[in-house]
Amino acid sequence: MLPRPTTHSKALGPGVAGPELAVATSAVLDRPPQPGAHLPLSGAAPCAVDPASLHDPRQHTKYPMVTGTSVMAIKYKDGVMLGCDMLAAYGSTKRYKTTQRMYRVNSKCVVAAGGEISDFQHICTLLDELTTDDFRTDDGIELTPQEVYAYLCRVLYNRRNKFDPLWNSLVVGGVAPDGSFLGMVGMIGTHYTDNHVTTGFANQLARPLFRERQKDDMSEEEALQLMYDALKVCYYRDKQSINKFQIAKVTHAAGVSISEPFALDVRWDYKKFAEPTKWAVGAW
Amino acid sequence: MGQDGPGDLTMVPVSMGTTIVATTFNGGVILAADSRTSSGAYIGNRATDKITPLCDNVYCLRSGSAADTQAIAGYVQHFIAQHQAEENDRISVKTAATLVRTLAYNNKDNLSAGLIVAGWDKHGGEQIYSINLGGTMTQVPFTMSGSGSTYIYGYADKNWRPNMTQEEAHDFVQRCIRYAIAWDASSGGCIRTVTITKDGVKRVFIPGEEIPPCFGELPREARVG
């Protein structure tokens, strides 16, 4: 990213004022803006302690604190569909139950994340800077999902190389003139594209369902039912999940729409659940 | 968490990060538990029965390592059966609890088990004994244990009172489990309760979809799929 003036007030001090100032203040001359992969230009420098003074270059996520769980996504006839729940867990506490883990990049692309939520919020800031740049160029051209995917691969891989990863598993989904796009980027920079991608527990639980039932030309109803079934099994078997989900659809026709939160009809009323030890009293 | 995939599950112990609650009321005891068993973040069993009979009039609630609590309960069931055969009479709740405590205390270095033993006998009426990790046994009118119990200390402090009626006590423990499930990821599924009085034992099963939603969750009518 090239250094650019930001939307923040110049009064915020060094690192924020840009080349627009006719005469650079002494504060700017002392500490010219230094963007980096871990310090976006928008307002971070005044709010962050100089890492060199801490004698430790790593200042971010060593262990994840507030985390999101799986994300799953499939291609279907009209575009792509992404689904995830709305929980941000604090260790074993189901702390925040209305976190949107999906981010609308532009009218053609959505990014969803599992893992550390603060790092995801930082990634959203980075993507926002790219989108704002596009907007300012004012030529109607937006980043394609492939470009967003490639950018995120580089960011995550480069952070991993500095032993300071962004602790996320990202799913990038969208539509482009040459078709729909789904990609996954992991916290160490591992990435791939496919017709269905999953992160976290969905790798083990939802992927078999997708392999069996996902088709590139499936209808929206079929895709929605497949998504419901995949979300349901992840809710049954992942302890850090809640029965509150969002599905994002990106279509060629209608662009991005992220649904309202909804819950799934889950079942516990099996006879054998009611009395599992009925015929083996004393067992468990 | 972190890298894609839940990681190596072979080394993660199966534990009942759990919520278990027991209270006395006027004439008996109620034991209540959630139904989740997890290894790491994977839910191995979403319909576990954590309320285990030690004998007809004494039940125990198990929390901690599933294997350890199953082993302890198995041994104690055996000892009680032998004791009852020799005495030709029902065991007292205190004796049953002491057997559990002896196992827990003498093997404290190798066990990770927190049990609550509760029941009704003709000598002392309704009793609850809480046996912690080190083997401490205490008689209590109300107790709770497991990872989810931390979220309901406030609720229990405010709402527990002695000599409740059976209906009040049942509502109280059911709410305890429900509120713990709302916050604890290691607890969930269904609510099971067992009520023990001089007239016998009654089991109640509240399936997961009938538990009223808590703050931040969506109402039942909104469910699709």
Side-chain angles (χ1 to χ4, degrees), chain A residues 36-162:
Chain A
H38 60 288
L39 276 182
L41 208 49
S42 39
C47 307
V49 175
D50 185 0
S53 68
L54 293 174
H55 305 292
D56 180 4
R58 286 186 303 171
Q59 52 176 350
H60 293 275
T61 312
K62 297 178 175 70
Y63 312 102
M65 289 286 152
V66 179
T67 55
T69 184
S70 352
V71 179
M72 52 217 91
I74 49 177
K75 286 189 193 173
Y76 69 110
K77 185 167 57 109
D78 304 329
V80 299
M81 220 184 252
L82 290 76
C84 64
D85 74 350
M86 298 192 74
L87 177 68
Y90 186 57
S92 264
T93 307
K94 295 186 285 199
R95 184 81 179 264
Y96 304 106
K97 296 190 187 168
T98 317
T99 36
Q100 188 168 305
R101 298 198 282 121
M102 303 192 182
Y103 175 68
R104 178 191 179 281
V105 181
N106 54 38
S107 70
K108 296 210 269 299
C109 180
V110 169
V111 173
E116 171 65 47
I117 299 294
S118 66
D119 284 345
F120 174 56
Q121 290 174 344
H122 174 82
I123 287 169
C124 294
T125 309
L126 296 176
L127 292 171
D128 192 41
E129 289 187 352
L130 293 181
T131 313
T132 311
D133 266 354
D134 273 351
F135 177 76
R136 275 196 234 127
T137 317
D138 203 17
D139 56 4
I141 297 176
E142 294 179 307
L143 282 171
T144 66
Q146 285 91 338
E147 290 170 327
V148 172
Y149 168 74
Y151 171 74
L152 290 174
C153 289
R154 290 346 300 154
V155 169
L156 262 57
Y157 182 62
N158 274 281
R159 288 290 298 263
R160 165 262 191 196
N161 285 343
K162 296 181 203 157

Side-chain angles (χ1 to χ4, degrees), chain A residues 92-95 97 167 169 199-201 203 232 236-237 239 244 262-265 267-268 273-274 282 284, chain B residues 2 4 36 41-44 46 70 77 151 181-186 190 192 208-209 216-218 223-225:
Chain A
S92 264
T93 307
K94 295 186 285 199
R95 184 81 179 264
K97 296 190 187 168
W167 207 289
S169 308
T199 73
F201 262 98
N203 277 322
K232 213 184 284 194
Y236 281 146
R237 291 295 175 177
K239 80 177 192 184
K244 192 173 177 185
F262 65 90
L264 289 173
D265 207 13
R267 290 197 56 203
W268 260 272
F273 279 10
W284 15 74
Chain B
D4 242 76
R36 181 170 287 186
Y42 178 67
I43 300 172
R46 64 179 170 112
Q70 287 173 2
Q77 282 167 348
Y151 302 95
I181 286 178
W183 291 111
D184 185 24
S186 307
C190 321
R192 296 190 195 276
E209 67 266 26
E217 295 164 9
L218 294 170
R223 290 183 186 173
V224 296

Side-chain angles (χ1 to χ4, degrees), chain B residues 25-214:
Chain B
F25 64 90
N26 209 353
V29 293
I30 303 191
L31 299 83
D34 72 307
S35 72
R36 181 170 287 186
T37 306
S38 45
S39 16
Y42 178 67
I43 300 172
N45 188 349
R46 64 179 170 112
T48 326
D49 187 0
K50 302 180 187 177
I51 312 179
T52 308
L54 299 177
C55 59
D56 288 340
N57 57 319
V58 181
Y59 276 62
C60 74
L61 290 156
R62 304 180 289 119
S63 75
S65 154
D68 288 349
T69 56
Q70 287 173 2
I72 293 175
Y75 274 110
V76 174
Q77 282 167 348
H78 167 72
F79 294 144
I80 292 180
Q82 198 156 33
H83 178 100
Q84 290 189 151
E86 287 171 7
E87 299 291 307
N88 202 21
D89 194 6
R90 290 230 159 124
I91 198 170
S92 67
V93 184
K94 184 162 191 179
T95 310
T98 308
L99 286 168
V100 175
R101 181 249 173 210
T102 309
L103 280 171
Y105 178 68
N106 289 335
N107 298 292
K108 65 159 79 179
D109 296 333
N110 302 316
L111 290 174
S112 165
L115 290 108
I116 298 173
V117 179
W120 189 96
D121 67 45
K122 59 182 187 249
H123 309 288
E126 58 272 9
Q127 297 146 77
I128 300 177
Y129 294 87
S130 172
I131 295 140
N132 313 109
L133 245 44
T136 313
M137 177 171 103
T138 41
Q139 184 180 3
V140 282
F142 161 74
T143 185
M144 49 192 182
S145 179
S147 58
S149 64
T150 55
Y151 302 95
I152 48 176
Y153 276 100
Y155 174 76
D157 272 354
K158 184 98 202 262
N159 293 96
W160 184 82
R161 56 241 177 258
N163 293 116
M164 290 185 273
T165 66
Q166 186 170 338
E167 292 70 36
E168 287 174 337
H170 193 268
D171 181 71
F172 169 71
V173 296
Q174 178 256 109
R175 279 174 189 275
C176 280
I177 304 289
R178 186 176 134 212
Y179 297 148
I181 286 178
W183 291 111
D184 185 24
S186 307
S187 308
C190 321
I191 301 177
R192 296 190 195 276
T193 68
V194 167
T195 309
I196 310 175
T197 59
K198 67 179 190 330
D199 302 317
V201 170
K202 193 168 79 105
R203 268 191 177 273
V204 173
F205 171 68
I206 304 172
E209 67 266 26
E210 285 177 26
I211 302 176
C214 290

